[in-house]
Amino acid sequence: EEGKTLIMIEINSIEQCSFQRGDRVIAALGFFDGVHRAHQRLIDECKTRAKAREGKSVVFTFQNHPSSI
């Protein structure tokens, strides 16, 4: 999005999250092994919903596929 600053922060534990109760956070959660069309649609929907709620959109992904753990 033009004029928007996108920020990426790597978080390795839930304790590193700075969200507070009452924050309007919309999250896309998954194993994003590359950003193909389906992932792009999911992330775009997350952004759309966050914007509608005047909130923040975030994407949580996993380093390893969940089935490998």
Side-chain angles (χ1 to χ4, degrees):
E1 295 174 69
E2 194 169 324
K4 288 276 189 170
T5 301
L6 302 176
I7 300 170
M8 179 179 156
I9 301 169
E10 183 176 346
I11 297 174
N12 295 305
S13 71
I14 196 69
E15 289 80 19
Q16 291 177 286
C17 292
S18 61
F19 306 126
Q20 303 294 316
R21 183 181 301 267
D23 284 350
R24 292 183 174 113
V25 176
I26 306 300
L29 175 65
F31 180 67
F32 297 98
D33 56 343
V35 185
H36 54 71
R37 288 187 188 147
H39 289 155
Q40 289 173 16
R41 285 197 309 268
L42 181 65
I43 293 167
D44 287 344
E45 181 65 21
C46 179
K47 290 166 50 179
T48 298
R49 291 181 184 208
K51 185 176 182 179
R53 292 166 176 80
E54 297 181 357
K56 298 176 185 177
S57 58
V58 298
V59 175
F60 286 99
T61 189
F62 304 95
Q63 184 174 8
N64 299 317
H65 193 282
S67 67
S68 71
I69 300 174

